[in-house]
Structures are given as structure tokens and as C-alpha cells.
Amino acid sequence: MRVFFCFILTIAICAILPACVDHDDPELSPIDTSQVKITASVTSLPNSRWMDVTEEMTVRVSEVAMSAPKGVYLRNISLIANNGMSSYLIDKKPFSGEPLEFKVPLIGKQGRLNMSVRGELIKKDSRDAEIIIADNIQRIVFSEAPKLECQGWLYISVKSKSTTGEEYSKTFELKSSDQFTIAVPRSELYWTPSSGVASSLEVTMGGGADSWSPNTTFDCKITTTALGHSSADKPTLTMTIANTPGSLNAQKLQLYVVTSYFGTWENITIDPYNLTDVFSIVEAD
């Protein structure tokens, strides 16, 4: 009975041994990755410069093509993250030739996150190897999304003269009431002379703004303001319009404000980030 048991045990051990071959065994020859080339289409969404810990990003790998010596195969594709202190595996998926998607919840990943897509290579009687498919997929992850605020303002001077010589001169300042518009009261802009007729107005405008970040410690600086139809226009504008309600609207004017945000928040120093706010200048009753 004892002899029979030892015989069975020996057969079991011999059956197990081939299955336990370690492809990481240092005695095995390594795969020469210098002869392997992998190309792929790698996209990451959303492509926001900054994200927060409540969000999730997706890394998609498709159109994978490999050039390699005979017997070398691509077994897995992994997404690896590095936070500046350590590297860790986000996910690993077997490669079958079909597109792969990696979902990356950002909770617990606050900071500067750098990711790479890597392929795991295998070959019979060789040590497994790893090759980088795509690198430097970077996101900055904050505890909450930075808020960047801007309030535009206009300095307006209006002059006119009636056919009887009566003069009109008005100067006023306006601020945006929302993120999109600066409303110009018609009662401040247009006028009716007590005698004669005033058919036109000479309007001079100057633009400016205040910008800030209410929930971060970023600094900011307004680099450009422009009045007209593009951010390349000048910061002041003089024009003649009809002394008729709707004439200013017909100009379709906009105030452009370019603000540069920079500095450090949550131990992360950002590169200067330029944001353009555009305010439509419209008449209001």
C-alpha cells in the first residue's frame, strides 16, 4: 500500500513540474526587445488638462501591429501609472487583436499622474519581456476641479450733436452680469435732443476685466484685452453709429479677455495656462 502511494505521489509531482516552468527564471535567455517593434493607436479621454478625483478617464488601445522575430508573441497589454514616487499596475488585459479599453477611476490618484501602455512579450524557452507601446500619458488630478472666473467691464463715452447745435455727452462704466454678456442700457446710449435732430452717435469704448480662481491658490494675470471681432483687435474702439436703438447690436461687438493662470496648488505647480473669455456686447432695456 505504501509503495503504491509513493508511486502515485511521484506521478503527480512529475505532472506538476512542467506546468511550473517560470518564464521569469533568470537562467532563461531574455527576449531581445531591440528586434521588436509595436505600433498602436492610443487615445485617452477626456483630454482635459486638469481632472479631479471624482472623474474617470479611459485609455483606448487599437490598431496594434507588431514586428518581431519568429516565435515572439504579444500576450498581454498593461496600463502602468507613475505618481513620481512609485509605479503600479492599473490593469492588465490579454491581447487578442481586438481594441482594448482601460477604465481609470481617479479617486485616490491625486497629483501628477503619468501613465504608459506596455506589452508583455513571450517566447518558448525564453524569459518574458516588456516593451513600451506608448508613454507620457499625463494628467494632473486635483481634489476638485479648479474654478477660473472672469468679469469683463466696459468704459463707454458717447458724444453727439443735434442739427440745432445741442450737444450730448455721456460717460459710464459697465460690468458683465454673467460669463457671456455685457449689457449696455439703451437709456445711457441713445438720446433725443430737445430741439432739432441727432442722427448719429460717436461711441468710444475701452475694455478690461478682473480674473481670479475662487477655489485655488493659482495666481493670474490678464495678458490681453480686445474689442471688436477677434482677440487680435485693439483694446479700445471708436466708431460712429446711428442714433437708433439696435444700432449697437448690429455691430456684433465682443470683448475678448485672455488670462494667464499659474502657480502652485495642492503641491502641484502648473505651467502657465491661458484662457480666453468672450463677452458679447448687447443692448438692454
Side-chain angles (χ1 to χ4, degrees):
M1 183 68 177
R2 178 178 297 177
V3 172
F4 178 74
F5 176 78
C6 291
F7 176 72
I8 295 298
L9 182 61
T10 301
I11 292 176
I13 292 173
C14 291
I16 292 172
L17 281 176
C20 295
V21 174
D22 186 2
H23 286 272
D24 291 327
D25 186 343
E27 294 185 3
L28 293 176
S29 300
I31 297 173
D32 185 1
T33 57
S34 67
Q35 299 184 42
V36 179
K37 182 178 180 181
I38 299 179
T39 60
S41 173
V42 179
T43 57
S44 55
L45 294 171
N47 53 10
S48 309
R49 176 183 298 245
W50 306 324
M51 301 185 72
D52 68 71
V53 293
T54 66
E55 297 181 86
E56 177 183 76
M57 67 178 294
T58 300
V59 178
R60 181 178 173 84
V61 183
S62 61
E63 301 176 23
V64 178
M66 184 174 78
S67 172
K70 184 178 179 179
V72 176
Y73 299 97
L74 177 61
R75 178 165 62 182
N76 298 312
I77 291 181
S78 302
L79 185 64
I80 306 295
N82 186 303
N83 60 9
M85 299 180 65
S86 61
S87 295
Y88 55 92
L89 175 69
I90 293 179
D91 199 2
K92 177 190 290 188
K93 295 178 182 289
F95 176 68
S96 64
E98 297 298 317
L100 298 174
E101 274 194 355
F102 297 89
K103 297 294 184 179
V104 188
L106 297 181
I107 186 168
K109 296 180 174 63
Q110 186 175 338
R112 195 179 297 273
L113 187 66
N114 193 38
M115 290 167 286
S116 61
V117 176
R118 305 184 188 185
E120 182 184 344
L121 304 174
I122 60 170
K123 183 182 178 182
K124 184 178 180 181
D125 298 327
S126 295
R127 192 159 70 247
D128 293 351
E130 187 177 75
I131 188 169
I132 294 177
I133 298 174
D135 205 6
N136 297 320
I137 305 170
Q138 189 174 103
R139 292 293 187 277
I140 292 177
V141 184
F142 290 117
S143 62
E144 61 179 314
K147 296 178 182 178
L148 309 176
E149 304 287 349
C150 182
Q151 183 176 54
W153 55 263
L154 282 178
Y155 171 85
I156 301 179
S157 174
V158 184
K159 294 182 180 180
S160 183
K161 181 182 287 190
S162 73
T163 53
T164 59
E166 183 180 352
E167 294 185 353
Y168 176 73
S169 180
K170 186 83 172 182
T171 298
F172 54 97
E173 188 174 309
L174 303 168
K175 292 186 177 182
S176 59
S177 56
D178 56 35
Q179 293 181 325
F180 310 105
T181 57
I182 299 177
V184 181
R186 291 192 176 101
S187 59
E188 300 283 340
L189 183 62
Y190 302 105
W191 75 298
T192 302
S194 57
S195 62
V197 176
S199 59
S200 64
L201 304 172
E202 182 183 276
V203 181
T204 299
M205 292 184 177
D210 296 311
S211 297
W212 67 98
S213 178
N215 70 330
T216 76
T217 54
F218 291 152
D219 294 320
C220 63
K221 178 182 179 181
I222 296 173
T223 61
T224 305
T225 59
L227 275 169
H229 302 101
S230 81
S231 58
D233 289 330
K234 295 180 179 180
T236 59
L237 174 67
T238 299
M239 60 187 172
T240 300
I241 62 174
N243 187 23
T244 306
S247 299
L248 180 62
N249 282 345
Q251 299 296 316
K252 300 184 184 299
L253 298 176
Q254 293 180 310
L255 170 65
Y256 299 83
V257 180
V258 180
T259 305
S260 178
Y261 293 87
F262 53 92
T264 301
W265 180 49
E266 295 188 341
N267 295 319
I268 298 175
T269 300
I270 62 168
D271 294 329
Y273 172 66
N274 291 335
L275 180 66
T276 301
D277 289 278
V278 181
F279 302 89
S280 296
I281 299 172
V282 298
E283 297 177 21
D285 292 326

